Amino acid sequence: MITNPSEEKGALRADARRNRDSILKIAARHFAAYGVNTSLDEIAREAKVGPGTLYRHFPTREHLLCEVLHERQEALLSRRDEAVAEPCAQSALSAWMRALKDYLSAFNGLPKPFIDAFEAQASPLAVTCRALVAITGEFLSRAQAEGAARQSVSAPALFLSAVGSAFVNDKAGEYGTTPEHIDEILAFGYLTSGTVGDAADPPNSISKTGAPHD
């Protein structure tokens, strides 16, 4: 699993479990409508619990977000399995990158907590972040082994490129472009010729891969 959901869930009293489930349901709706920085007090009010009850179950915004994302991770892992089954390493990597970006674009502002988790190991999202980097590394290694991705690309850099793409996903239309066009630039670069750094890579590793340039 990507995350470690709260161990207390099975031990909660029935009323406490109802409160917890209600908070999660309302939080998912608020995150979807207003983004990850939505008011936690409003979530508590709509869930008909006090702020203290919310914070007893979820000490920080990141704890609440981590739990809300758990169900979406099931869908992400399903798409990972579909990507693994792709016979072509390039197609598999591209499929995973699309799935990862969609996951990171689930809520407005979601990439920022992942950037924070990437840097701060104490974040409840840190385990998820490390797992996503590891999965990305598996797809990248396969593509590199088949000469479909540059050897100079690292799994953390590739993961961060997906975070960056997710950051601007909902803004693309405002600037006269599309998320797909941004993904294409990240994957294939924007220069018409190689750079000095490309010389260290095999010639066939500069093909269209779905793996972004460093």
Side-chain angles (χ1 to χ4, degrees):
M1 299 302 294
I2 292 179
T3 59
N4 295 315
S6 174
E7 296 291 338
E8 67 171 349
K9 186 173 181 181
L12 291 175
R13 301 190 315 272
D15 58 339
R17 189 178 302 112
R18 282 194 298 271
N19 286 340
R20 184 180 187 280
D21 291 345
S22 178
I23 291 168
L24 285 173
K25 181 179 178 181
I26 300 303
R29 187 161 68 243
H30 274 246
F31 286 146
Y34 310 114
V36 298
N37 293 317
T38 188
S39 168
L40 298 189
D41 287 345
E42 282 299 308
I43 291 174
R45 184 189 62 77
E46 190 171 336
K48 294 181 172 57
V49 300
T53 297
L54 185 150
Y55 287 111
R56 275 198 301 275
H57 289 290
F58 308 103
T60 67
R61 183 182 300 273
E62 287 72 25
H63 282 86
L64 178 57
L65 181 59
C66 192
E67 291 286 349
V68 168
L69 285 171
H70 182 62
E71 289 186 6
R72 291 180 179 271
Q73 288 165 6
E74 296 296 331
L76 178 62
L77 291 177
S78 177
R79 291 182 67 178
R80 177 202 62 182
D81 294 342
E82 292 173 2
V84 167
E86 288 279 351
C88 169
Q90 175 177 321
S91 298
L93 179 58
S94 296
W96 168 248
M97 292 299 290
R98 287 192 299 272
L100 184 57
K101 191 200 74 170
D102 289 347
Y103 170 77
L104 293 168
S105 303
F107 306 128
N108 184 36
L110 180 58
K112 180 61 166 62
F114 275 98
I115 289 179
D116 294 340
F118 196 83
E119 299 171 343
Q121 297 303 307
S123 167
L125 286 170
V127 173
T128 300
C129 196
R130 289 195 296 269
L132 293 176
V133 172
I135 294 171
T136 301
E138 293 170 3
F139 283 100
L140 175 61
S141 295
R142 177 184 168 191
Q144 289 172 328
E146 294 187 14
R150 288 168 46 194
Q151 296 297 321
S152 59
V153 177
S154 69
L158 191 54
F159 173 76
L160 287 174
S161 77
V163 173
S165 179
F167 238 127
V168 299
N169 188 64
D170 60 342
K171 301 295 184 183
E174 297 178 20
Y175 291 91
T177 186
T178 65
E180 291 76 18
H181 192 202
I182 293 171
D183 290 343
E184 181 181 8
I185 292 172
L186 283 171
F188 308 139
Y190 58 89
L191 300 177
T192 57
S193 59
T195 65
V196 174
D198 291 332
D201 292 329
N204 66 347
S205 69
I206 311 176
S207 61
K208 294 186 176 181
T209 67
H213 298 305
D214 287 343

